[in-house]
Amino acid sequence: MNKYEMLYIIKNDITDEAKQEVVDKMASVITSNGGEIENTDKWGTKKYAYPIDYTTEGYYVLVNFTAPANVPEELKRMNRITDEVVRSMIIKK
């Protein structure tokens, strides 16, 4: 099991319940594939350094987790097909 860190940005114009659904969805991908979430840090709404898709703010979430080597690829796939996720980055610690 490896340690990973994932930072992703959710669209800010959706409701708080929808944001929580996205956070729960990403957490379930990690746990259903044999990983463990160490902590989830919701940074909240932050201003972008430059406009992305004509918006200037997004909701940032940082997740630290341990998981098998196949989980980051599945998370990348889920981030690409989830419309509410603007950007994401996964690093191995």
Side-chain angles (χ1 to χ4, degrees):
M1 297 265 267
N2 300 315
K3 291 186 177 240
Y4 296 98
E5 183 175 270
M6 176 172 71
L7 177 68
Y8 57 99
I9 307 170
I10 303 171
K11 290 181 179 179
N12 200 35
D13 58 356
I14 62 175
T15 64
D16 290 338
E17 292 83 19
K19 290 174 189 171
Q20 186 60 44
E21 286 176 14
V22 174
V23 172
D24 293 340
K25 182 178 176 181
M26 295 304 157
S28 70
V29 169
I30 294 168
T31 56
S32 66
N33 287 303
E36 286 184 24
I37 297 176
E38 294 173 7
N39 68 336
T40 301
D41 189 12
K42 298 174 188 169
W43 291 358
T45 302
K46 301 275 185 193
K47 195 167 183 71
Y48 295 151
Y50 54 89
I52 300 174
D53 296 332
Y54 303 106
T55 59
T56 58
E57 291 181 333
Y59 188 82
Y60 285 68
V61 181
L62 178 70
V63 181
N64 291 303
F65 62 97
T66 57
N70 64 332
V71 174
E73 285 303 317
E74 179 62 20
L75 282 170
K76 287 178 189 176
R77 187 185 75 77
M78 287 302 295
N79 286 331
R80 282 194 301 267
I81 64 174
T82 304
D83 291 334
E84 293 86 4
V85 175
V86 179
R87 295 278 194 278
S88 67
M89 180 175 64
I90 302 172
I91 61 168
K92 183 176 176 182
K93 287 186 169 183

